[in-house]
Amino acid sequence: MSDNQLLNVGESTPLGKVEISPDVLEVIAGIATTEVPGVSSMRGNFATGVAERLGKKTHGKGIKVELKDEMVLIDVFIVVDYGHTIPTVAQQIQSNVRQAIKNMTAIQIKEINIHVVGVHMEQMNEDLEI
């Protein structure tokens, strides 16, 4: 993630200004992504895996927000459930993330890139009788 860059939202007023951290965008994008049917899980790094094992919920897991020349680029790393059409799931994620961020922050996103890093196979839980 970017080193403490903040995004200005709107114009400064006599009361002050509003700034949003990229961490906030990561959380919004992460929640919007997990709402899409066919997303099995998000793929984070080693540190987020350790944090989750210690009981800390990381909503920004699997999301990378990059600020370049006043533009916002988002990368989403997911595992898809077997049987779902990957292009359809990816388009739904892009739409959901763009809409959630626009509604909550009024920030326009330049790119939302979806990276499918795995496929989750449903395990059969059948009782075997002998």
Side-chain angles (χ1 to χ4, degrees), residues 1 8 13 21 24 34 37 39 44 47 49 55 68-71 83 87 93 103-105 108 113 116:
M1 205 204 37
N8 287 322
T13 66
S21 167
V24 172
T34 57
V39 175
K68 277 189 177 175
D69 304 324
E70 300 298 317
M71 293 183 291
I93 292 169
N103 288 344
M104 293 184 72
T105 67
Q108 294 294 328
N113 301 307
V116 179

Side-chain angles (χ1 to χ4, degrees), residues 24 75 97:
V24 172
D75 289 293
V97 168

Side-chain angles (χ1 to χ4, degrees), residues 12 15 20 45-46 54 71 82 84 97 106:
S12 291
L15 296 174
I20 297 177
N45 58 23
F46 179 75
L54 295 174
M71 293 183 291
Y82 179 80
H84 285 81
V97 168

